[in-house]
Amino acid sequence: MLLENDKIPKEWVRQHRKEEKMKSHKLEEEFEWLKKSEVLYYSVEKKGNVSSQFKHHNPWSMKCHQQQLQRMKENAKHRNQYKFILLENLTSRYEVPCVLDLKMGTRQHGDDASEEKKANQIRKCQQSTSAVIGVRVCGMQVYQAGTGQLMFMNKYHGRKLSVQGFKEALYQFFHNGKYLRRELFESVIKKLTELKSVLEKQESYRFYSSSLLIIYDGKERQEVAVDSDPEDLEDLSEESSDESAGAYAYKPTASTVDVRMIDFAHTTCKYYGEDSVVHEGQDTGYVFGLQNLIDIIKEIRDESSE
């Protein structure tokens, strides 16, 4: 039902504006706190649908969306008409999405970067794991099943990590606070290996400043009591039984893992007629990062099964 403006009570309008202002102020304070925290934990309310809260109550993403919409309104030539780029929500099929954002390659600046931008990007690479292993953490969100919290790690913390710190961050990404999600390893390794094989065959492509997303569902697997009937436990793997510590055994499920290349604003290849620089051969920096990522995940997998 549409309401004409002159039929809306003025008192209701004033109250609505007041409430919206209070909400906006509260969100501003929460966002400022988030920006100062490089690693933080955000508690999810126990009541209600947890997966719904994940999708609709992430304070960081909510604030980012609001800021972007505000910029659009300020820059739009026609106040009621806006242009959008339609993007796929890669987390929509997951109940409790856990996301790892990795900045790939040993070089981040595009061919069109200014000298200032180029120097800044080179400095970031040299001061992070990008220069050493060709990959660094740009962001991470993981659900901690034991506490019902989201754990966030931002790009500023990711830049400070050593190679060992990067490995520990990866371990943390695959750990839900109760146990290591080892059933995810083979799928991730397979997808990364296939991607590496494809990129090794690509001529002249450069994926400068692009990222790699790894996504899985943080929803807990089904718990099976150790003293259950033998039939209930017959297909439990040996490694999941070891993880149970005598209380519960966790039956690995066919969890879906998604691996995606994203952010191609500075990507180039010989088929881009407008690009002034044409590169030869494969993107060795990106492939180098992929191989190191695969090796580190394999190390975590092997060490966790010992």
Side-chain angles (χ1 to χ4, degrees), residues 7 33 41 48 50 58 106-107 119 137 149 159 163 165 179 183 228 230 262 288:
K7 292 184 179 181
W33 169 70
Y41 293 84
V50 175
N58 183 319
T106 54
R107 169 180 162 176
V137 173
Q149 293 179 317
R159 291 176 193 165
V163 174
Y179 50 87
E183 81 280 5
S228 298
I262 64 168
F288 175 67

Side-chain angles (χ1 to χ4, degrees), residues 28-40:
E28 286 284 349
E29 293 179 342
E30 192 169 30
F31 188 62
E32 288 300 318
W33 169 70
L34 285 170
K35 287 196 295 184
K36 295 176 183 178
S37 305
E38 295 182 357
V39 178
L40 60 91

Side-chain angles (χ1 to χ4, degrees), residues 8-35:
I8 301 176
K10 293 183 179 180
E11 184 61 33
W12 182 90
V13 173
R14 283 195 293 267
Q15 181 63 27
H16 179 70
R17 288 176 177 173
K18 182 178 179 181
E19 290 175 356
E20 288 300 310
K21 188 175 181 180
M22 290 175 64
K23 289 180 182 178
S24 177
H25 181 67
K26 182 179 180 182
L27 197 58
E28 286 284 349
E29 293 179 342
E30 192 169 30
F31 188 62
E32 288 300 318
W33 169 70
L34 285 170
K35 287 196 295 184

Side-chain angles (χ1 to χ4, degrees), residues 194-238:
E194 290 173 349
L195 175 59
K196 176 174 171 287
S197 178
V198 171
L199 293 183
E200 286 175 333
K201 300 173 184 176
Q202 304 308 308
E203 176 69 26
S204 85
Y205 279 89
R206 294 298 181 272
F207 300 96
Y208 299 136
S209 197
S210 69
S211 291
L212 191 71
L213 283 188
I214 301 178
I215 312 170
Y216 71 87
D217 202 328
K219 183 180 180 181
E220 278 198 278
R221 291 171 287 168
Q222 184 178 1
E223 295 182 349
V224 182
V226 171
D227 58 357
S228 298
D229 293 337
E231 293 182 1
D232 296 331
L233 299 172
E234 62 182 0
D235 55 353
L236 282 171
S237 66
E238 182 179 348

Side-chain angles (χ1 to χ4, degrees), residues 100 102 137 140 165-175 180 214 293 296-297 300:
L100 178 64
L102 299 170
V137 173
M140 184 165 73
F166 176 84
K167 180 178 179 180
E168 292 171 358
L170 278 184
Y171 180 93
Q172 196 168 19
F173 175 66
F174 290 108
H175 201 289
L180 192 64
I214 301 178
L293 178 60
I296 292 173
I297 294 176
I300 296 173

